[in-house]
Amino acid sequence: MGIYEELRERGLIAQVTDEEEIRQLINNGGARFYIGFDPTADSLHVGHFMALCLMKRLQMAGNKPVVLVGGGTGHIGDPSGRTDMRTMMTDEVINHNCECFKKQMERFIEFGEDKAIMVNNGDWLLKLNYVDVLREVGPCFTVNNMLRAECYKQRMEKGLSFLEFNYMIMQAYDFWYLNTHYGCNMQFGGDDQWSNMLAGTELIRKKSGKDAYAMTITLLLNSEGKKMGKTAKGAVWLDENKTSPYDFYQYWRNVDDADVMKCIKMLTFISLEEIAEMEKWGAERINEKKEILAFELTKLVHGEEKAEKARAQAKAAFGGEGELPEKQVSAENSTIISVLVAAGLCSSNGEARRLVAQGGVSLNDTKVTDINAKVNSGDVLHKGKKVHVKIVLV
């Protein structure tokens, strides 16, 4: 089985432009492909995780990744999957975020001579002359076709700014530039990017007369992929200072039963033969599958040692051996409401009060009913059935 067939078997491929050509290229290690990452935060999150895993799989099969960080497109903001316009970022924030992305990506992708390269589209987009772009690229696009794109159609009712309308052209220009200067012949992305990716392949074919291909991956857990990794506390980040290895482990440990095998197929590097055996397991082994998923992905992101510790902490939360994760909070604010907020389990005092009122908080083995209840150092705080931490007053 070639890598293309494996991607199909794992359910990763959503759409392709020229299937037989793409199959031959990536099975023979002939793809020099790119995936773009706009620096909208100072950390990658699990919404990027599928793309990183895909790049790793393709690199292991001999293909060459081009990692594109959007130091230029980040000034505009992709309207795909959005109901409103993105917040404008300063140059300083964009550059900082790009640097953070680079450090995290090096844990997944092997960079170096004849391996993967990383480029920043700010290096060319920010130098462009507007009139030159209109003359050079504008004739290759029709407004009618652009407005048919799903990423624009969903914004027409609330209003699509001219700023965002240009995003497709900029992404297409990226592909053409990478094709011209780096020999990039293929673009990968989420299935919400299809219209933008087609624009890039058409631009290359019209301007250069070269073959260029696009393939989108099936986004995990929802059709647009924009909600992937969202929790009550926000996104699930790959930076352990924003999402701890334990919280990362727990996120995957708690995915819906119906999504477990899908996640294992798409995201882990467990062989398809082993996965086929796991699919034969009965419903009574669903928690075992979830533990495998959580451990494998935590190991991939944070390393085996931290994955082992996260697994032990998760078992300790349910009476097993091991140490629970600790949250340090100020001894001056040791009432249950203050502790819930300070420990990051609730975003506000109001949310904490509602949670207590609904019976969703326990200290050690006792349900909390008093919003003025005191928390002692060493108490185990339970939020619902899935969040369990030891409180340390300092």
Side-chain angles (χ1 to χ4, degrees):
M1 180 185 293
I3 184 62
Y4 184 86
E5 289 74 24
E6 181 176 345
L7 296 180
R8 278 283 187 206
E9 186 72 20
R10 289 182 181 273
L12 283 164
I13 299 176
Q15 302 175 88
V16 296
T17 52
D18 307 86
E19 184 169 43
E20 190 52 39
E21 289 84 349
I22 289 175
R23 183 199 308 274
Q24 291 293 330
L25 270 175
I26 68 174
N27 279 351
N28 294 320
R32 193 168 184 82
F33 67 96
Y34 98 89
I35 300 179
F37 300 82
D38 272 354
T40 53
D42 59 359
S43 171
L44 297 163
H45 54 70
V46 297
H48 299 115
F49 193 45
M50 280 189 69
L52 292 171
C53 290
L54 177 67
M55 296 184 96
K56 185 177 179 72
R57 292 184 202 280
L58 289 168
Q59 185 177 47
M60 290 168 63
N63 298 283
K64 304 297 190 298
V66 177
V67 180
L68 176 69
V69 291
T73 44
H75 284 77
I76 306 300
D78 183 4
S80 300
R82 301 279 300 188
T83 57
D84 56 359
M85 195 167 110
R86 294 183 184 273
T87 302
M88 301 278 276
M89 296 184 293
T90 65
D91 289 350
E92 291 74 19
V93 169
I94 290 172
N95 291 335
H96 171 71
N97 292 351
C98 285
E99 288 302 313
C100 293
F101 276 23
K102 288 179 183 178
K103 292 176 183 177
Q104 292 180 334
M105 288 175 178
E106 288 172 350
R107 299 206 303 266
F108 295 87
I109 312 301
E110 188 176 0
F111 293 94
E113 187 175 349
D114 200 35
K115 293 177 181 175
I117 62 170
M118 184 175 291
V119 295
N120 186 328
N121 64 15
D123 292 342
W124 56 86
L125 292 180
L126 298 181
K127 298 174 183 177
L128 291 174
N129 177 287
Y130 186 59
V131 173
D132 288 345
V133 173
L134 289 177
R135 290 175 60 86
E136 189 172 14
V137 180
C140 298
F141 291 83
T142 67
V143 172
N144 289 359
N145 283 339
M146 292 176 72
L147 290 177
R148 292 191 190 102
E150 194 62 37
C151 61
Y152 291 150
K153 284 164 60 177
Q154 63 190 7
R155 290 291 307 280
M156 293 301 288
E157 290 185 12
K158 289 194 174 183
L160 174 70
S161 71
F162 184 70
L163 177 75
E164 295 171 291
F165 188 63
N166 281 270
Y167 191 90
M168 180 186 290
I169 294 175
M170 295 180 73
Q171 185 169 332
Y173 189 93
D174 279 344
F175 196 6
W176 175 76
Y177 187 94
L178 293 172
N179 178 269
T180 303
H181 293 82
Y182 295 94
C184 190
N185 55 18
M186 195 177 300
Q187 181 179 184
F188 288 84
D191 56 12
D192 60 333
Q193 292 288 309
W194 187 237
S195 297
N196 293 345
M197 294 166 67
L198 286 179
T201 60
E202 288 305 305
L203 179 62
I204 292 171
R205 289 170 178 177
K206 287 177 180 177
K207 284 188 62 64
S208 307
K210 298 179 182 177
D211 287 326
Y213 309 102
M215 186 174 95
T216 65
I217 56 177
T218 304
L219 288 163
L220 191 60
L221 304 183
N222 65 86
S223 61
E224 293 178 351
K226 299 301 181 183
K227 297 176 184 176
M228 183 181 175
K230 296 293 183 181
T231 69
K233 295 190 290 180
V236 177
W237 305 99
L238 304 191
D239 182 346
E240 66 178 274
N241 296 313
K242 297 168 79 72
T243 298
S244 71
Y246 171 76
D247 289 333
F248 187 84
Y249 179 98
Q250 285 294 85
Y251 170 75
W252 295 108
R253 175 64 181 78
N254 294 320
V255 298
D256 291 341
D257 292 0
D259 289 321
V260 176
M261 288 311 303
K262 185 195 302 183
C263 292
I264 288 174
K265 282 184 177 181
M266 289 183 169
L267 295 176
T268 75
F269 286 78
I270 297 172
S271 71
L272 289 172
E273 290 76 15
E274 291 177 83
I275 290 173
E277 289 301 312
M278 291 174 65
E279 288 181 316
K280 299 176 184 177
W281 295 358
E284 73 279 1
R285 298 183 71 179
I286 187 64
N287 286 328
E288 188 177 347
K289 292 179 182 179
K290 289 185 177 184
E291 288 170 0
I292 291 171
L293 170 68
F295 179 78
E296 290 296 323
L297 299 190
T298 306
K299 181 174 69 173
L300 188 60
V301 174
H302 297 294
E304 188 164 3
E305 183 178 346
K306 291 178 181 177
E308 292 279 10
K309 183 177 179 181
R311 180 164 61 183
Q313 289 174 331
K315 289 183 181 298
F318 294 95
E321 295 182 358
E323 291 292 327
L324 281 169
E326 296 181 351
K327 296 285 186 179
Q328 294 188 349
V329 300
S330 171
E332 297 178 0
N333 300 297
S334 58
T335 62
I336 189 65
I337 300 302
S338 298
V339 169
L340 283 166
V341 175
L345 304 185
C346 292
S347 60
S348 66
N349 289 346
E351 181 187 340
R353 290 191 189 94
R354 287 191 296 275
L355 189 64
V356 170
Q358 293 164 1
V361 179
S362 298
L363 271 177
N364 302 315
D365 296 319
T366 305
K367 188 81 70 179
V368 177
T369 57
D370 181 5
I371 62 172
N372 296 311
K374 289 286 186 179
V375 180
N376 298 310
S377 193
D379 282 349
V380 176
L381 179 58
H382 306 272
K383 177 187 174 184
K385 297 180 179 180
K386 298 179 178 179
V387 179
H388 317 273
V389 298
K390 181 186 288 186
I391 300 300
V392 178
L393 300 181
V394 294

